[in-house]
């Protein structure tokens, strides 16, 4: 699919060398990870490249989590392979789940920044959940629920996403 101009702009907006990665190095390698994942047309081309262990690691949120979340949302605005879309949505969910396990003050700030990024990307997440696989829909519904993305709008879309998961799961079961 390639790297869109929007993703390139969002990558350029951050000083990745000044940010700490969950692997405990600087996050300067993350643009390469994003570009490789976005450019991969097969799982083999993406082999060895993952955001896991970089944007979060064992429940610990990194300083680079919120900027990486912004890049993920920028990528969701364009065409993505199902593999990359799932990787990006799973990363958002791992950060969400990880935030409840880390009590460090710096993590609280990183969690707040990340929550803001996710809230700002509400419509991009809904598009990914409604257009993607049943697993993508479930992941987005979980993100909405976890972050309590607010009000009746979020509840309505969560119910749509959960219904989509049930419908796709029934169809798969009926086809056996």
């Amino acid at each position: 699919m390639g790297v869109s101009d929007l993703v390139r702009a969002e990558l350029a907006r951050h000083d990745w060398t000044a940010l700490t990665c969950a692997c405990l190095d600087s996050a300067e390698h993350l643009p390469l990870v994003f570009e490789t994942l976005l450019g991969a047309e097969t799982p083999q081309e993406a082999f060895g490249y993952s955001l896991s262990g970089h944007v979060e690691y064992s429940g610990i949120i990194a300083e680079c989590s919120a900027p990486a979340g912004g890049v993920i949302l920028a990528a969701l605005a364009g065409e993505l392979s199902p593999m990359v879309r799932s990787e990006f949505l799973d990363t958002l969910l791992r950060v969400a789940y990880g935030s409840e396990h880390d009590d460090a003050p710096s993590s609280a700030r990183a969690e707040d920044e990340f929550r803001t990024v996710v809230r700002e990307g509400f419509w991009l997440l809904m598009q990914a959940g409604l257009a993607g696989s049943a697993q993508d829909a479930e992941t987005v519904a979980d993100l909405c629920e976890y972050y309590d993305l607010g009000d009746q709008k979020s509840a309505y879309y969560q119910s749509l996403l959960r219904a989509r998961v049930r419908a796709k799961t029934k169809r798969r079961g009926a086809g056996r």
Side-chain angles (χ1 to χ4, degrees):
M1 297 281 161
V3 181
S4 71
D5 290 340
L6 181 59
V7 170
R8 287 189 195 288
E10 188 62 16
L11 284 168
R13 193 169 76 87
H14 303 285
D15 180 3
W16 297 97
T17 59
L19 297 171
T20 305
C21 183
C23 70
L24 302 178
D25 282 332
S26 110
E28 68 184 314
H29 56 281
L30 280 182
L32 175 63
V33 173
F34 276 111
E35 289 173 9
T36 302
L37 290 170
L38 288 165
E41 294 183 19
T42 66
Q44 292 80 8
E45 291 175 1
F47 186 77
Y49 290 89
S50 174
L51 296 173
S52 181
H54 298 284
V55 178
E56 57 69 43
Y57 179 74
S58 294
I60 297 172
I61 298 173
E63 186 180 28
C64 69
S65 295
V71 174
I72 289 170
L73 290 168
L76 289 174
E79 287 282 322
L80 292 177
S81 71
M83 171 189 71
V84 172
R85 183 176 47 247
S86 292
E87 163 82 12
F88 286 176
L89 292 174
D90 288 346
T91 298
L92 294 176
L93 192 59
R94 283 193 311 270
V95 173
Y97 288 158
S99 65
E100 67 187 25
H101 301 294
D102 195 359
D103 297 328
S106 62
S107 287
R109 186 180 73 244
E111 180 184 353
D112 288 343
E113 290 171 1
F114 188 80
R115 181 183 308 267
T116 298
V117 167
V118 171
R119 283 189 174 145
E120 290 171 352
F122 179 82
W123 292 114
L124 295 169
L125 290 170
M126 291 309 107
Q127 176 61 28
L130 292 170
S133 68
Q135 181 61 45
D136 293 343
E138 186 171 32
T139 300
V140 172
D142 289 347
L143 276 166
C144 289
E145 185 176 329
Y146 181 81
Y147 279 120
D148 188 26
L149 291 181
D151 60 34
Q152 295 172 346
K153 175 178 74 176
S154 179
Y156 172 77
Y157 281 100
Q158 278 183 61
S159 69
L160 279 180
L161 292 165
R162 301 272 186 221
R164 187 164 192 276
V165 171
R166 286 190 300 276
K168 284 197 167 229
T169 303
K170 283 182 187 175
R171 269 185 267 159
R172 242 186 324 213
R176 290 182 187 177

